[in-house]
Short mmCIF file of all heavy atoms in Angstrom, two decimals:
data_model
loop_
_atom_site.label_atom_id
_atom_site.label_comp_id
_atom_site.label_asym_id
_atom_site.label_seq_id
_atom_site.Cartn_x
_atom_site.Cartn_y
_atom_site.Cartn_z
N ALA Z 271 -19.90 29.61 -39.15
CA ALA Z 271 -18.56 29.27 -39.49
C ALA Z 271 -18.14 30.18 -40.92
O ALA Z 271 -17.05 30.50 -40.93
CB ALA Z 271 -18.44 27.76 -39.94
N LEU Z 272 -19.21 30.33 -41.86
CA LEU Z 272 -18.83 31.19 -42.92
C LEU Z 272 -18.45 32.46 -42.51
O LEU Z 272 -17.48 33.05 -42.97
CB LEU Z 272 -20.12 31.30 -43.74
CG LEU Z 272 -20.46 30.19 -44.80
CD1 LEU Z 272 -21.75 30.66 -45.51
CD2 LEU Z 272 -19.37 30.07 -45.83
N ALA Z 273 -19.21 33.02 -41.58
CA ALA Z 273 -18.88 34.45 -41.06
C ALA Z 273 -17.52 34.42 -40.30
O ALA Z 273 -16.71 35.40 -40.67
CB ALA Z 273 -19.91 34.82 -40.15
N HIS Z 274 -17.22 33.43 -39.55
CA HIS Z 274 -16.01 33.37 -38.78
C HIS Z 274 -14.84 33.30 -39.67
O HIS Z 274 -13.81 33.89 -39.41
CB HIS Z 274 -16.05 32.25 -37.75
CG HIS Z 274 -14.91 32.27 -36.79
ND1 HIS Z 274 -14.59 33.32 -35.96
CD2 HIS Z 274 -13.94 31.36 -36.55
CE1 HIS Z 274 -13.58 32.98 -35.32
NE2 HIS Z 274 -13.12 31.79 -35.59
N CYS Z 275 -14.94 32.52 -40.67
CA CYS Z 275 -13.80 32.26 -41.70
C CYS Z 275 -13.88 33.24 -42.85
O CYS Z 275 -13.06 33.09 -43.78
CB CYS Z 275 -13.90 30.79 -42.19
SG CYS Z 275 -13.82 29.58 -40.80
N ASN Z 276 -14.75 34.13 -42.79
CA ASN Z 276 -14.89 35.04 -44.08
C ASN Z 276 -14.93 34.30 -45.38
O ASN Z 276 -14.21 34.65 -46.29
CB ASN Z 276 -13.74 36.01 -44.05
CG ASN Z 276 -13.93 37.33 -43.37
OD1 ASN Z 276 -15.15 37.59 -43.27
ND2 ASN Z 276 -13.02 38.03 -42.99
N SER Z 277 -15.62 33.28 -45.48
CA SER Z 277 -15.65 32.41 -46.57
C SER Z 277 -16.85 32.69 -47.39
O SER Z 277 -17.96 33.18 -46.96
CB SER Z 277 -15.65 30.98 -46.20
OG SER Z 277 -15.92 30.14 -47.18
N HIS Z 278 -16.81 32.46 -48.71
CA HIS Z 278 -17.94 32.86 -49.61
C HIS Z 278 -18.45 31.58 -50.35
O HIS Z 278 -19.19 31.77 -51.31
CB HIS Z 278 -17.58 33.89 -50.57
CG HIS Z 278 -17.25 35.19 -49.87
ND1 HIS Z 278 -18.15 36.03 -49.33
CD2 HIS Z 278 -16.08 35.76 -49.49
CE1 HIS Z 278 -17.66 37.07 -48.74
NE2 HIS Z 278 -16.35 36.94 -48.82
N GLU Z 279 -17.90 30.43 -50.04
CA GLU Z 279 -18.38 29.20 -50.63
C GLU Z 279 -18.69 28.14 -49.58
O GLU Z 279 -18.02 28.08 -48.49
CB GLU Z 279 -17.13 28.65 -51.46
CG GLU Z 279 -16.75 29.43 -52.60
CD GLU Z 279 -15.55 28.79 -53.43
OE1 GLU Z 279 -14.73 28.06 -52.72
OE2 GLU Z 279 -15.50 28.88 -54.66
N MET Z 280 -19.83 27.51 -49.81
CA MET Z 280 -20.34 26.57 -48.88
C MET Z 280 -20.54 25.27 -49.63
O MET Z 280 -21.26 25.23 -50.61
CB MET Z 280 -21.66 27.05 -48.21
CG MET Z 280 -22.12 26.18 -47.18
SD MET Z 280 -21.41 26.43 -45.65
CE MET Z 280 -21.25 24.82 -45.01
N LEU Z 281 -19.86 24.19 -49.26
CA LEU Z 281 -20.01 22.94 -49.91
C LEU Z 281 -20.61 21.84 -48.97
O LEU Z 281 -20.29 21.78 -47.77
CB LEU Z 281 -18.55 22.39 -50.30
CG LEU Z 281 -18.48 20.96 -50.84
CD1 LEU Z 281 -19.11 20.86 -52.10
CD2 LEU Z 281 -16.88 20.64 -50.95
N LEU Z 282 -21.57 21.28 -49.57
CA LEU Z 282 -22.37 20.25 -48.73
C LEU Z 282 -22.01 18.77 -49.35
O LEU Z 282 -22.16 18.51 -50.47
CB LEU Z 282 -23.83 20.58 -49.19
CG LEU Z 282 -25.04 20.25 -48.20
CD1 LEU Z 282 -24.66 20.72 -46.92
CD2 LEU Z 282 -26.20 20.90 -48.79
#
Side-chain angles (χ1 to χ4, degrees):
Chain Z
L272 277 180
H274 186 61
C275 301
N276 266 343
S277 171
H278 300 285
E279 294 179 326
M280 186 79 219
L281 174 64
L282 206 48

